[in-house]
Amino acid sequence: MTRSTASVADWERLYAAARYHARAALELQDQPWNEHAALDIANRAGAIIELLSKALLLTHDERLIADPSTVHRHLMDAIVERPDGRAAEGKKAVRKQTVAASVAVELVRRLDSSIDARADGAKKAIAARNDAVHLAVALHQRPLTDVVLAMAAFAGAVIDALKQSRADFWGTRAGDVAQRISDFEAETSVAAKAAVDAARRKYDGRQKSFSDPETWAKVLALLVARELPITSDLQASVDCPACSHTATVGWGIEGEAEDDHGELTYYAYTILDGLWCPVCELQLDGEQLEALDLEDMPDVSDVMEADAEAYWEDRLSEI
């Protein structure tokens, strides 16, 4: 896609700030773990996601980050649909408030398939940042490490899209970061495929244990009707990758607040929780499900967006 040249200084400033946070987060991770350091790491991880996402959006059109309403979504539609990748000329935006970090991620994931594949991990980093900043709630060491690695994987994809150097971004630790990201993503993919294989073997073994087709059909009906322990705010059906029966994909809803001169604007966004199948008992977390890259995953981003906003408004009305 062709870049806008109107905001070069802006996107470079955001990129430089993200790079600063990245190197500082790496230094903090080298220190003995403590709760306050964990809060700082989570804060920086979320900042890196937000700054890099907005930097990439600025290289396409500065109006993408300027308006908290739905206009930036229509503008992105124009950008991704035009052959030259540029939006139609229009009135230049006056930036008084930028879109929320979660909105920036949802927009930037549409620009690149590699970014899209890592966007849900990025949104977990934003959620961890919000908990750290607003509630002083820190993740324990292992889940925080996973959040940082998910952030780093997303950051790498955005850095590539910006045509910048990962070595420049991470500094002397670039090789170590690259290896850790590779190990993290490989481990997730291997674990996902192993879970699918195990569930498939379990299903096949259970089916073969019934020689009478009618008996198996009755057992299958009972399995299909089982209630799953799913607490996800939003759910959709998908073919199970292990047994091909109907499985459930779940998304959690998180909220984010932006302060506009004393007036809070709330945004809601979804995070992929995972997949559950009542028949073969396959369970995958969000990262594992993303790693499988299922072809029939429902494309429900617009529906989820609308439902998430309504859900969050209802939740706020109860406070």
Side-chain angles (χ1 to χ4, degrees):
M1 292 183 181
T2 305
R3 295 180 179 179
S4 164
T5 58
S7 308
V8 173
D10 286 342
W11 81 257
E12 288 183 339
R13 186 179 68 253
L14 296 183
Y15 174 83
R19 180 175 56 195
Y20 168 79
H21 283 299
R23 297 184 182 188
L26 290 178
E27 291 181 5
L28 284 167
Q29 280 209 299
D30 288 339
Q31 306 302 318
W33 187 91
N34 67 77
E35 186 175 5
H36 290 147
L39 291 172
D40 199 357
I41 292 170
N43 186 21
R44 292 181 186 279
I48 293 164
I49 296 295
E50 180 169 4
L51 291 167
L52 283 178
S53 296
K54 290 179 178 179
L56 183 56
L57 292 174
L58 277 174
T59 64
H60 289 278
D61 196 300
E62 63 183 315
R63 291 171 293 176
L64 284 169
I65 74 167
D67 192 344
S69 73
T70 58
V71 66
H72 53 269
R73 304 186 193 284
H74 300 309
L75 182 58
M76 178 59 79
D77 290 339
I79 288 176
V80 298
E81 290 171 8
R82 283 172 61 103
D84 61 359
R86 298 188 65 179
E89 294 298 325
K91 184 178 179 180
K92 187 174 181 180
V94 178
R95 277 200 311 283
K96 294 182 179 179
Q97 178 187 1
T98 60
V99 296
S102 56
V103 175
V105 170
E106 282 301 315
L107 291 172
V108 82
R109 73 187 305 173
R110 298 176 60 182
L111 295 172
D112 186 279
S113 60
S114 182
I115 296 173
D116 181 45
R118 295 163 175 83
D120 282 296
K123 288 193 286 186
K124 288 187 177 181
I126 294 172
R129 188 270 300 270
N130 291 341
D131 286 344
V133 172
H134 300 298
L135 299 172
V137 174
L139 292 171
H140 292 296
Q141 189 167 8
R142 177 53 196 267
L144 179 61
T145 298
D146 288 346
V147 162
V148 170
L149 289 172
M151 172 277 293
F154 177 86
V158 177
I159 292 165
D160 292 344
L162 283 167
K163 295 181 171 54
Q164 299 301 302
S165 164
R166 295 194 187 196
D168 169 72
F169 188 82
W170 297 110
T172 58
R173 300 286 297 278
D176 177 55
V177 171
Q179 186 60 55
R180 293 181 67 185
I181 292 173
S182 177
D183 292 345
F184 173 70
E185 294 190 328
E187 179 182 331
T188 302
S189 180
V190 168
K193 292 175 181 177
V196 170
D197 290 342
R200 184 179 294 119
R201 288 194 300 271
K202 184 173 185 177
Y203 173 80
D204 290 342
R206 180 176 285 168
Q207 182 179 23
K208 291 176 181 177
S209 67
F210 293 93
S211 57
D212 180 12
E214 291 187 5
T215 302
W216 168 241
K218 293 178 181 178
V219 171
L220 186 58
L222 292 174
L223 293 173
V224 169
R226 282 199 302 183
E227 184 175 347
L228 293 173
I230 301 175
T231 58
S232 297
D233 300 310
L234 299 172
Q235 301 172 21
S237 296
V238 65
D239 290 340
C240 176
C243 69
S244 299
H245 290 283
T246 300
T248 298
V249 174
W251 291 261
I253 294 179
E254 298 288 342
E256 185 175 6
E258 290 284 315
D259 188 349
D260 182 17
H261 305 292
E263 181 178 347
L264 291 179
T265 300
Y266 290 94
Y267 297 89
Y269 58 95
T270 57
I271 293 179
L272 186 60
D273 286 338
L275 175 147
W276 299 264
C277 179
V279 177
C280 67
E281 300 177 1
L282 173 65
Q283 294 189 35
L284 300 170
D285 63 27
E287 285 80 9
Q288 291 170 340
L289 185 53
E290 285 284 356
L292 286 180
D293 193 22
L294 301 181
E295 292 183 359
D296 63 339
M297 273 289 287
D299 182 11
V300 292
S301 58
D302 292 336
V303 176
M304 290 292 148
E305 216 166 77
D307 288 351
E309 294 290 353
Y311 181 96
W312 195 250
E313 287 177 7
D314 289 341
R315 182 181 290 182
L316 288 173
S317 68
E318 297 172 358
I319 298 177

